[in-house]
């Protein structure tokens, strides 16, 4: 058998565009080689992982490289992860830097976020450095333990806060990846990773949702993250916040949770939502009402079909929303209103929802 030197492997891998069959032959030989030989060829494997970033790389080659990479991960995790990140990034990121700042991992080549073959390896590296970072922070805490008990408690709280902030940032960036990139498999991998983080630390879910994220990502999160049912325990607290954008976030989240989890606690949250919106529609100014309720209408329409027993209450609220919009149009009658003005669009949306869901409820004319 031909000795698989690193130089020979690199030469074969670099010619993958010209001679893919030869590159495939060498990756298969390397897969069948001993663990010692694979460790010795680690540089070539790292190079193969870089080549696999190219969308034109044969799938079999990429899968072969990943299979060997995962085997090496069990033997030399630190050197493998560090070398892989270094190869995937344009910046000189070393192990110590990544332990202190694991979020720097997201500076890697963005092609990773469209590559569902390599992305699982990326998530394993992310988990490795997040774990190393937690250990690093806790070790620093232990080193500085000399002092009063109250100082020790403060340092523990600070360490927990730092870890929580770091983990929540990771979740937010993974959700952002789902929003920016189109690979559905990567979306599911991101959500599975977030699920594991939520399971490991249920408080993290609350922190992330109080921070909020783009409304368009809520359906994906609820559908693909099994632990999202935890949100039913605290979503009413988000609804109680004064920030209108947070209230809108809570409304959309409740609607998605109600659709995904048709259980009693979902119904209780929907009832609370209706009570809150009814109260706010009377207490807020017209501008605030329109800002809040215009974005709540689609979610309210879905609740009518999800819970027929409260459809009359929802319809009443929708009619009230439409009335608020009509009043605004009447007050500003001297100002030219286009066919696509917010008030007119809101009235049309309410009318459509009522016509589809509750045909016997009269709708306001546009």
């Amino acid at each position: 058998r031909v000795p698989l030197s690193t130089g020979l492997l690199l030469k074969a891998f670099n010619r993958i565009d010209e001679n893919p069959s030869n590159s495939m032959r060498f990756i298969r030989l390397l897969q069948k080689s001993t663990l010692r030989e694979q460790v010795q060829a680690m540089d070539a494997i790292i190079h193969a992982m870089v080549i696999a970033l190219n969308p034109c790389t044969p799938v079999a080659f990429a899968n072969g490289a990943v299979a060997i990479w995962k085997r090496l991960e069990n033997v030399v995790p630190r050197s493998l992860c560090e070398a892989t990140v270094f190869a995937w990034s344009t910046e000189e990121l070393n192990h110590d830097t990544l332990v202190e700042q694991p979020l720097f991992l997201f500076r890697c080549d963005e092609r990773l976020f469209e590559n569902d073959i390599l992305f699982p390896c990326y998530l394993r590296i992310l988990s490795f450095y997040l774990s190393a970072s937690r250990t690093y922070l806790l070790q620093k805490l232990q080193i500085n333990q000399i002092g009063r008990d109250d100082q020790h408690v403060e340092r523990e709280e600070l360490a927990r806060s730092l870890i929580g902030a770091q983990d929540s940032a990771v979740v937010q960036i993974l959700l952002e990846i789902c929003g920016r990139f189109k690979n559905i498999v990567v979306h599911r991998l991101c959500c599975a990773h977030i699920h594991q983080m939520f399971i490991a630390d249920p408080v993290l879910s609350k922190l992330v949702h109080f921070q909020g994220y783009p409304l368009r990502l809520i359906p994906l999160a609820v559908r693909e993250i099994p632990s999202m049912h935890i949100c039913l325990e605290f979503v009413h607290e988000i609804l109680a916040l004064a920030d209108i954008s947070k209230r809108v976030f809570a409304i959309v989240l409740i609607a998605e949770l109600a659709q995904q989890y048709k259980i009693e606690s979902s119904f209780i949250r929907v009832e609370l939502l209706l009570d809150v919106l009814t109260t706010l529609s009377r207490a807020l100014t017209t501008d605030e009402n329109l800002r809040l309720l215009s974005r709540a209408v689609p979610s309210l329409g879905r609740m009518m079909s999800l819970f027929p027993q409260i459809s009359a209450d929802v319809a009443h609220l929708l009619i009230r929303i439409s009335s608020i919009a009509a009043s605004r149009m009447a007050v500003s009658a001297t100002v030219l209103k286009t066919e696509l003005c917010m008030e007119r669009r809101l009235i049309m949306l309410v009318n459509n929802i009522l016509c589809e869901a509750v045909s016997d409820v009269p709708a306001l004319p546009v």
Side-chain angles (χ1 to χ4, degrees):
R1 186 165 67 87
V2 179
L4 296 176
S5 68
T6 298
L8 183 63
L9 291 168
L10 289 173
K11 184 178 179 181
F13 294 165
N14 281 331
R15 299 187 62 191
I16 191 168
D17 292 334
E18 305 166 23
N19 194 348
S21 60
N22 190 51
S23 300
M24 282 301 310
R25 183 171 72 88
F26 275 97
I27 202 76
R28 289 195 192 101
L29 287 172
L30 191 55
Q31 279 185 276
K32 296 175 182 177
S33 63
T34 65
L35 183 58
R36 179 185 293 273
E37 289 177 311
Q38 290 176 348
V39 171
Q40 291 172 345
M42 188 176 76
D43 289 344
I45 293 303
I46 298 297
H47 188 63
M49 297 289 279
V50 175
I51 292 172
L53 285 171
N54 188 335
C56 298
T57 301
V59 172
F61 180 88
N63 282 330
V66 166
I68 301 169
W69 188 95
K70 288 180 178 178
R71 192 178 182 194
L72 293 180
E73 184 191 16
N74 295 321
V75 184
V76 284
R78 171 174 170 167
S79 55
L80 180 71
C81 289
E82 182 178 18
T84 306
V85 172
F86 187 84
W88 278 344
S89 174
T90 55
E91 301 182 25
E92 295 186 4
L93 300 175
N94 58 41
H95 178 78
D96 292 337
T97 301
L98 291 168
V99 168
E100 293 182 16
Q101 298 287 346
L103 294 179
F104 283 178
L105 278 170
F106 292 103
R107 298 181 180 181
C108 286
D109 194 316
E110 289 193 348
R111 288 178 295 175
L112 279 167
F113 309 137
E114 290 280 14
N115 192 314
D116 51 72
I117 297 175
L118 296 180
F119 194 68
C121 298
Y122 175 82
L123 290 177
R124 291 162 87 107
I125 295 172
L126 178 62
S127 295
F128 174 82
Y129 279 111
L130 284 175
S131 177
S133 182
R134 292 187 197 101
T135 303
Y136 168 75
L137 287 172
L138 293 174
Q139 284 177 345
K140 285 188 68 175
L141 175 66
Q142 290 175 353
I143 291 172
N144 298 320
Q145 272 187 349
I146 301 173
R148 300 197 310 270
D149 289 342
D150 57 340
Q151 291 177 334
H152 176 63
V153 171
E154 287 178 7
R155 284 194 292 268
E156 281 188 336
E157 290 178 353
L158 177 60
R160 282 196 297 270
S161 297
L162 288 172
I163 292 171
Q166 187 170 271
D167 287 348
S168 67
V170 168
V171 173
Q172 293 285 3
I173 296 172
L174 290 176
L175 287 170
E176 183 184 341
I177 288 171
C178 294
R180 285 185 57 201
F181 300 94
K182 306 301 182 185
N183 191 306
I184 295 175
V185 177
V186 169
H187 294 176
R188 289 173 179 163
L189 290 168
C190 284
C191 290
H193 192 84
I194 293 170
H195 170 64
Q196 294 301 325
M197 294 181 72
F198 284 172
I199 292 298
D201 181 12
V203 176
L204 178 61
S205 175
K206 187 171 184 178
L207 176 59
V208 168
H209 286 89
F210 267 79
Q211 291 171 341
Y213 46 86
L215 298 181
R216 69 182 187 280
L217 296 177
I218 294 178
L220 173 70
V222 173
R223 186 175 65 251
E224 298 292 344
I225 303 175
S227 51
M228 282 290 288
H229 63 85
I230 299 172
C231 298
L232 288 168
E233 299 176 5
F234 57 77
V235 68
H236 60 286
E237 298 177 33
I238 305 176
L239 188 62
L241 298 175
D243 188 335
I244 288 181
S245 63
K246 298 292 186 186
R247 286 172 172 167
V248 172
F249 181 86
I251 292 167
V252 176
L253 181 57
I254 289 172
E256 292 297 333
L257 290 170
Q259 181 165 351
Q260 184 73 12
Y261 305 103
K262 298 178 179 66
I263 55 179
E264 184 181 359
S265 55
S266 295
F267 179 67
I268 292 171
R269 294 295 175 245
V270 170
E271 283 193 313
L272 174 65
L273 171 62
L274 291 178
D275 290 341
V276 170
L277 288 180
T278 301
T279 302
L280 290 175
S281 69
R282 297 190 181 101
L284 297 177
T285 65
T286 302
D287 286 340
E288 289 174 327
N289 260 316
L290 289 175
R291 283 175 55 202
L292 172 64
L293 300 175
S294 62
R295 288 180 283 179
V297 165
S299 297
L300 290 172
R302 291 170 59 195
M303 291 174 191
M304 293 181 73
S305 58
L306 288 172
F307 302 105
Q309 62 269 45
I310 57 171
S311 60
D313 294 332
V314 177
H316 180 75
L317 178 58
L318 287 172
I319 292 173
R320 181 173 180 81
I321 293 171
S322 190
S323 298
I324 293 171
S327 299
R328 161 56 69 85
M329 289 185 66
V331 169
S332 56
T334 56
V335 180
L336 182 62
K337 290 285 185 180
T338 66
E339 290 294 326
L340 296 177
C341 69
M342 182 179 67
E343 295 88 345
R344 195 179 298 277
R345 282 188 285 110
L346 182 56
I347 294 172
M348 291 175 64
L349 180 58
V350 170
N351 283 351
N352 290 337
I353 291 173
L354 293 177
C355 289
E356 289 176 8
V358 208
S359 58
D360 59 336
V361 175
L364 291 178
V366 179

